Amino acid sequence: MITKSIYDYINQIIPSEDLLSNEKLASHTTFKVGGEADLFIRITNKEQLIKLIPFLRRLEIDFFILGNGSNVLAGDRGYRGVILNIGTGMSNIAIDGNLVTAEAGALLANVCKFSSVNGLSGMEFACGIPGTVGGGIMMNAGAYGGEMADVTESVSVMNETGELMEISRDAMEFGYRKSAIKNRPYTVLSVNFRLSPGNKDEIQAKISALMEKRKEKQPINYASAGSTFKRPPGNFAGKLIMDAGLRGFSIGGAGVSEKHCGFIVNRGNATAADILEVIKEVKERVYDRFEINLEQEIILLGDF
């Protein structure tokens, strides 16, 4: 519970305009669903995090770090705690030779565009990923044969006590949709990307081709959280779902995309409960048919 004294202390660190009480998470997630968070804080610099996170931990107040909300399903009953939104307020991108440094709140698409304008190749795969640098690093986001592990040189983080650390690429423990960040109390502050010099026109042509492919293959006209399930070893989630006869399957306002069965979409009036029920039904039917357990890629947040 966020008492007045807790709010007043936080207000000494965060300006009032960046403190939103009872803020609807539907406004901050790409699924466009989710109830109210007790307190939603827009973060604008790492110094705020250094003060806030140890304070919240000390008082045992639940908190969640949210970027663009592109890999999250927020519950209809909201979140009883504090949302720390690392977004546009921490989204600077800079260049030094072949090294691009991006703050955690920068959109991956913007890092891709910045790199291409400066004639640097390597980030093309990320132009269609709707997440931020922080979320992308945590999940080792990838698409079209590329992933964050391929281009990361080092990651600046803060631990649970507010101490700043620099983690090398080799120590990041990158794997399929995972990294050292995922299971440790670290907060990503910025990332150094090591890219390669290239021809601007060729880089842009590759980006355009990948974006066209995304438009052709993915249901970008519907709200979603991207791929709902991880790729099972030796198989594809979308194909398994399709072969289980679930193309277009729906509950309430949520359903399996007819364009790409690996996506569960909000058809316009879905609740989080609808989406969660579709996820459960898909997992059950795929297991019944193929004895394969589909593992969720998306994170469940709050109360359902």
Side-chain angles (χ1 to χ4, degrees):
M1 181 179 178
I2 310 301
T3 64
K4 184 178 184 304
S5 61
I6 291 172
Y7 181 93
D8 289 344
Y9 176 84
I10 292 174
N11 197 194
Q12 295 176 36
I13 303 168
I14 308 292
S16 297
E17 61 267 25
D18 291 326
L19 291 177
L20 308 177
S21 296
N22 302 317
E23 178 74 359
K24 281 191 173 295
L25 292 171
S27 302
H28 303 280
T29 60
T30 58
F31 255 137
K32 304 301 181 188
V33 298
E36 296 178 348
D38 289 345
L39 186 61
F40 187 96
I41 302 177
R42 293 191 290 240
I43 299 296
T44 58
N45 57 68
K46 66 182 179 183
E47 286 73 22
Q48 293 174 338
L49 292 170
I50 291 170
K51 294 175 181 176
L52 273 177
I53 288 181
F55 169 75
L56 295 173
R57 286 187 180 279
R58 191 164 58 250
L59 270 62
E60 298 183 343
I61 296 172
D62 288 337
F63 68 91
F64 183 84
I65 296 171
L66 184 72
N68 197 43
S70 61
N71 203 39
V72 171
L73 174 60
D76 297 313
R77 295 170 62 193
Y79 182 73
R80 306 285 69 79
V82 177
I83 297 292
L84 301 176
N85 178 220
I86 300 180
T88 55
M90 274 185 69
S91 59
N92 291 325
I93 308 171
I95 185 172
D96 182 6
N98 297 342
L99 196 70
V100 170
T101 301
E103 288 188 301
L107 291 173
L108 288 170
N110 289 344
V111 179
C112 171
K113 292 172 188 175
F114 177 91
S115 302
S116 67
V117 166
N118 285 280
L120 292 177
S121 178
M123 288 294 296
E124 292 91 333
F125 74 91
C127 266
I129 299 175
T132 59
V133 166
I137 279 292
M138 183 186 75
M139 296 295 293
N140 188 21
Y144 302 116
E147 60 183 13
M148 301 297 279
D150 299 335
V151 290
T152 298
E153 175 152 298
S154 63
V155 182
S156 296
V157 304
M158 185 192 80
N159 68 14
E160 69 270 32
T161 64
E163 178 187 1
L164 303 183
M165 305 166 61
E166 192 80 11
I167 305 177
S168 69
R169 187 249 179 252
D170 291 341
M172 278 293 295
E173 301 172 13
F174 283 122
Y176 177 61
R177 299 297 175 265
K178 65 180 181 179
S179 73
I181 306 297
K182 194 170 182 181
N183 297 315
R184 290 179 174 83
Y186 295 160
T187 302
V188 177
L189 302 176
S190 64
V191 179
N192 290 320
F193 297 107
R194 178 67 64 181
L195 305 178
S196 304
N199 179 282
K200 290 183 183 180
D201 291 338
E202 291 177 0
I203 294 169
Q204 186 53 55
K206 183 176 180 181
I207 291 170
S208 297
L210 290 177
M211 293 301 287
E212 189 61 33
K213 188 174 181 180
R214 179 174 179 266
K215 183 179 179 182
E216 178 187 339
K217 301 287 187 181
Q218 298 181 13
I220 58 176
N221 54 321
Y222 286 107
S224 77
S227 297
T228 307
F229 303 100
K230 295 180 180 179
R231 185 177 66 244
N235 218 314
F236 295 95
K239 185 177 187 308
L240 290 169
I241 295 167
M242 180 179 67
D243 290 347
L246 290 164
R247 183 190 293 276
F249 171 80
S250 64
I251 295 176
V256 175
S257 167
E258 295 185 1
K259 196 171 191 179
H260 189 316
C261 292
F263 287 66
I264 291 173
V265 298
N266 179 351
R267 301 192 189 282
N269 61 342
T271 63
D274 291 340
I275 295 169
L276 190 58
E277 284 304 308
V278 172
I279 290 173
K280 290 178 179 177
E281 189 68 21
V282 166
K283 291 170 75 171
E284 286 179 12
R285 291 206 196 177
V286 167
Y287 185 80
D288 288 345
R289 177 78 181 272
F290 304 107
E291 293 190 351
I292 293 175
N293 284 309
L294 291 181
E295 185 180 351
Q296 286 168 215
E297 188 170 316
I298 61 174
I299 297 167
L300 301 183
L301 172 65
D303 299 330
F304 287 80

